[in-house]
Amino acid sequence: MAQKISELKTYKTVNRRDRNGNYKAMEFEFKYNPNVKSFNFRLLSKLLDLLLYYGIVYVLAKFFTFAYPHILIATLGLFTINPVLETITGKTFGKLLIGFEVVDDHCKKLSVLKSFIKNTLQLLNLVIYVFTEGVIWEEDIYFHNTITNTYTIKSKNKKEIIAMMNKA
């Protein structure tokens, strides 16, 4: 029976020197975490999404008059359209270009509600991160994934993760 991603373990062997000066292999067990660690690529993904929505709003503004700044409407689109795209495809425009995918604990696409909660928490996280200059979230900048039990993975690793789940 397939496990959840949160139940998977990974192991690392480390050679440590004992009191006699001899090396002894020690194996450590860690919780498996397939999340993409690179803040820069994850931010780039979000910026690509924002640029797409800004471009759409900019083109629409040529035909219609908006009372609000274009960037505000584009940002609103970022946190309302992305959950729908993540539910349907597992990816947003930026994630598609970079090669990322969002999955739940069973390595499946998210529900609309879970994706909406994740994106809302991500917005809150981003606002707090900017206003505190990153001081508060040094421990877990990706808490939105932790709270919603979701993972932002590299699309090419999905088959490997499913194989690990089925193997256990």
Side-chain angles (χ1 to χ4, degrees):
M1 182 171 187
Q3 286 187 336
K4 297 178 181 178
I5 295 174
S6 60
E7 296 171 351
L8 295 176
K9 304 286 184 205
T10 186
Y11 302 92
K12 183 174 183 177
T13 303
V14 177
N15 291 315
R16 295 268 170 103
R17 189 180 292 192
D18 63 14
R19 292 183 182 180
N20 298 329
N22 299 321
Y23 285 96
K24 181 179 178 183
M26 299 176 75
E27 188 169 84
F28 295 92
E29 180 181 270
F30 297 96
K31 184 178 176 183
Y32 180 68
N33 184 0
N35 273 319
V36 174
K37 310 276 188 294
S38 175
F39 177 75
N40 293 338
F41 281 118
R42 290 176 73 150
L43 182 61
L44 178 61
S45 169
K46 196 58 82 175
L47 288 174
L48 289 170
D49 291 335
L50 183 61
L51 286 173
L52 173 69
Y53 298 140
Y54 184 81
I56 291 169
V57 170
Y58 184 79
V59 169
L60 288 175
K62 294 290 184 186
F63 299 104
F64 306 101
T65 305
F66 291 129
Y68 298 101
H70 299 352
I71 193 69
L72 181 65
I73 297 170
T75 304
L76 180 64
L78 187 69
F79 293 98
T80 55
I81 297 171
N82 278 4
V84 175
L85 291 175
E86 287 177 353
T87 299
I88 296 170
T89 66
K91 303 171 184 181
T92 63
F93 174 72
K95 287 180 180 70
L96 178 67
L97 289 178
I98 294 178
F100 292 166
E101 187 170 343
V102 179
V103 295
D104 67 6
D105 205 19
H106 299 280
C107 210
K108 300 202 182 298
K109 295 175 188 142
L110 308 182
S111 68
V112 175
L113 180 61
K114 186 175 267 196
S115 185
F116 181 74
I117 291 169
K118 181 189 85 70
N119 278 277
T120 303
L121 289 171
Q122 192 175 36
L123 174 62
L124 174 67
N125 189 9
L126 186 61
V127 168
I128 291 171
Y129 185 82
V130 167
F131 284 115
T132 65
E133 297 176 359
V135 174
I136 290 180
W137 301 132
E138 287 180 9
E139 292 296 319
D140 187 9
I141 193 167
Y142 308 118
F143 83 97
H144 55 280
N145 286 116
T146 305
I147 289 174
T148 57
N149 216 16
T150 59
Y151 301 89
T152 302
I153 63 171
K154 292 181 180 175
S155 296
K156 66 180 182 178
N157 295 346
K158 187 173 182 178
K159 288 180 182 177
E160 176 187 327
I161 294 167
I162 292 171
M164 287 176 67
M165 292 169 60
N166 290 330
K167 185 179 177 183

